[in-house]
Amino acid sequence: MTRVAATKLRTTISDLLDRAVHHGERVVVERYGKPVAALVSLEDLELLEAIDDRMDIEVAWKALREPNRRSWDEVRAELALQDDRAV
């Protein structure tokens, strides 16, 4: 994994994007030596989002199976889940 100081990001962004997009390399951006952000390929981002969605679904199913049997709308609101039916 590559690390780059935020101050050098402007001068190296083209190379870093190329490495992320074409080589799947992950780039950590640091400020004052501490990681604050990452540059990843769109494929990696989509995978992270799919994992996050899957985790949300599992939490929602668990909540729906609780003894007090809340409604889907209550669980969705509590977990701040997007309602795909509205899209």
Side-chain angles (χ1 to χ4, degrees):
M1 186 172 339
T2 300
R3 294 180 175 270
V4 62
T7 56
K8 296 190 182 204
L9 192 58
R10 184 175 292 173
T11 59
T12 59
I13 191 70
S14 181
D15 177 55
L16 295 173
L17 280 173
D18 181 62
R19 290 159 69 174
V21 171
H22 299 293
H23 305 288
E25 193 169 335
R26 296 171 183 148
V27 179
V28 174
V29 180
E30 298 177 337
R31 274 195 183 148
Y32 308 109
K34 296 186 187 241
V36 295
L39 180 62
V40 298
S41 68
L42 187 58
E43 183 178 271
D44 279 359
L45 176 62
E46 289 171 346
L47 176 60
L48 288 170
E49 289 179 342
I51 291 168
D52 189 45
D53 289 347
R54 177 65 183 193
M55 291 170 61
D56 287 346
I57 290 168
E58 288 176 11
V59 169
W61 276 114
K62 183 178 178 184
L64 287 169
R65 288 191 296 263
E66 289 176 354
N68 59 359
R69 312 246 19 206
R70 294 175 289 170
S71 73
W72 166 244
D73 288 332
E74 290 171 329
V75 170
R76 186 175 47 80
E78 180 182 321
L79 299 175
L81 298 176
Q82 177 178 320
D83 187 355
D84 289 337
R85 296 174 295 176
V87 175

